[in-house]
């Protein structure tokens, strides 16, 4: 599982270099995201532009990461493709995650 | 009627290979991209359940998916020889019992696991589970007409 980090305003933007977030990679995905939280990042934007598919295991990893951020920080999503957005809607998790169109929009909202 | 059988070993890393083939077959059958993605998602959840729960994550077992296409249906017959599904899981999968329709949006109460059966229930048109001797048989059907 590879991530690419950049900073926009005061947000850490994490781009996921993985096309499918499914059961065999979900543990590493969650572990990687939680590492950003435990190293002190409070405002995290997860760029999902390369993710073409996510299953319930991947969704669980996202939920676990959001919980790890807690009330003192924020984890939001951006650039999600239709398949990912539809999965979030199907499971009603679109009500839980904030989804922005671009990393810049997401970072601005966290500022 | 057209038929294809896919077989994977019970390793989670093999599921995506079958899944992308299934998505392409859905497109061939005339489903639009959103619906093909839904069917792919259901089959991913079903194959993952076979590996994780029926085979308890053990390698070197087989998961078989037979895909049958006729004019009005796309059928997926999944077979494994692992442990049978529990009655409560069958109720959730087939009848939707226990699926939370409107989860409390309080983050602390949102579960990280347990959505797979609900996803299959919501996205497939017909679901039949049977235990046939030492084999699990899950039959998932998606209607093709009239609004594909």
């Amino acid at each position: 599982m590879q991530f690419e980090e950049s900073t926009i305003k005061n947000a850490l933007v994490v781009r996921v270099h993985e096309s499918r977030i499914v059961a065999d990679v979900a543990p590493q995905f969650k572990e990687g995201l939680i590492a950003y939280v435990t190293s002190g990042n409070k405002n995290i934007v997860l760029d999902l532009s390369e993710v073409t598919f996510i299953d319930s295991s991947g969704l669980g990893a996202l939920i676990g990461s959001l919980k790890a951020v807690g009330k003192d920080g924020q984890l939001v999503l951006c650039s999600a493709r239709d398949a990912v957005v539809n999965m979030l809607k199907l499971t009603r998790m679109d009500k839980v995650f904030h989804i922005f169109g671009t990393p810049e929009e997401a970072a601005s909202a966290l500022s | 009627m057209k038929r294809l059988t896919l077989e994977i070993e019970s390793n989670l890393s093999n599921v995506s290979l079958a899944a992308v083939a299934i998505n392409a077959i859905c497109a061939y059958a005339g489903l639009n991209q959103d619906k093909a993605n839904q069917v792919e998602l259901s089959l991913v959840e079903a194959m993952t359940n076979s590996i994780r729960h029926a085979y308890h994550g053990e390698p070197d077992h087989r998961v078989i998916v037979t895909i049958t296409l006729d004019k009005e249906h796309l059928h997926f017959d999944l077979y494994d020889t692992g442990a049978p599904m529990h009655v409560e899981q069958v109720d959730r999968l087939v009848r939707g019992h226990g699926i939370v329709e409107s989860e409390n949006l309080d983050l602390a109460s949102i579960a990280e696991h347990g959505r797979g059966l609900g996803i299959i229930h919501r996205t497939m048109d017909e679901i039949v589970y049977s235990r046939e001797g030492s084999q699990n048989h899950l039959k998932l059907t998606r209607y093709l007409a009239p609004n594909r």
Side-chain angles (χ1 to χ4, degrees):
Chain A
M1 178 65 63
Q2 287 193 317
F3 300 106
E4 178 183 319
E5 303 103 32
S6 60
T7 302
I8 301 179
K9 298 188 176 177
N10 65 343
L12 174 72
V13 178
V14 177
R15 183 167 175 152
V16 184
H17 287 308
E18 186 76 40
S19 61
R20 299 176 69 87
I21 310 297
V22 290
D24 59 327
V25 301
Q28 300 100 288
F29 179 62
K30 180 179 175 183
E31 188 179 313
L33 294 183
I34 288 180
Y36 289 116
V37 178
T38 54
S39 60
N41 294 286
K42 299 284 187 191
N43 295 322
I44 301 173
V45 175
L46 194 60
D47 182 342
L48 297 175
S49 56
E50 294 181 29
V51 178
T52 59
F53 187 88
I54 185 168
D55 72 354
S56 66
S57 300
L59 179 61
L62 275 180
I63 293 168
S65 302
L66 187 60
K67 287 183 174 184
V69 169
K71 293 178 179 173
D72 295 333
Q74 300 179 82
L75 170 67
V76 301
L77 312 180
C78 76
S79 310
R81 298 187 184 210
D82 286 349
V84 175
V85 173
N86 289 339
M87 162 56 161
L88 292 170
K89 288 180 177 174
L90 180 68
T91 54
R92 296 170 175 80
M93 290 298 103
D94 60 318
K95 310 292 185 196
V96 172
F97 287 95
H98 296 286
I99 309 170
F100 296 89
T102 66
E104 291 77 15
E105 290 172 12
S108 296
L110 297 186
S111 298
Chain B
M1 184 180 292
K2 299 173 181 175
R3 181 166 290 157
L4 170 72
T5 296
L6 301 173
E7 177 181 321
I8 60 170
E9 289 186 14
S10 55
N11 185 319
L12 289 173
S13 63
N14 290 328
V15 170
S16 288
L17 283 178
V20 296
I22 286 164
N23 193 308
I25 289 166
C26 289
Y28 171 78
L31 292 179
N32 67 32
Q33 191 59 60
D34 285 349
K35 291 178 179 174
N37 290 344
Q38 282 187 354
V39 172
E40 178 186 357
L41 178 60
S42 277
L43 270 293
V44 166
E45 300 295 344
M47 290 185 281
T48 300
N49 278 348
S50 284
I51 295 169
R52 265 200 183 140
H53 302 301
Y55 290 132
H56 307 295
E58 294 172 3
D60 303 324
H61 299 286
R62 295 188 308 167
V63 178
I64 295 170
V65 183
T66 295
I67 305 160
T68 307
L69 172 64
D70 62 34
K71 286 185 178 176
E72 297 177 346
H73 311 92
L74 197 46
H75 302 284
F76 300 89
D77 291 276
L78 279 81
Y79 303 93
D80 68 61
T81 55
M85 287 183 73
H86 294 295
V87 173
E88 316 86 71
Q89 293 172 318
V90 176
D91 275 349
R92 179 182 292 188
L93 174 66
V94 177
R95 287 173 279 278
H97 291 173
I99 294 175
V100 179
E101 288 298 327
S102 179
E103 279 192 280
N104 184 339
L105 297 183
D106 173 34
L107 185 59
S109 68
I110 295 175
E112 291 183 42
H113 305 287
R115 288 185 175 78
L117 298 179
I119 286 171
I120 299 170
H121 178 79
R122 288 193 179 105
T123 54
M124 300 306 286
D125 293 308
E126 292 179 17
I127 302 168
V128 179
Y129 168 78
S130 52
R131 180 73 177 178
E132 300 167 352
S134 60
Q135 179 172 259
N136 292 313
H137 177 194
L138 179 61
K139 188 177 189 67
L140 304 174
T141 300
R142 183 76 188 219
Y143 302 151
L144 297 176
N147 298 313
R148 298 184 182 186

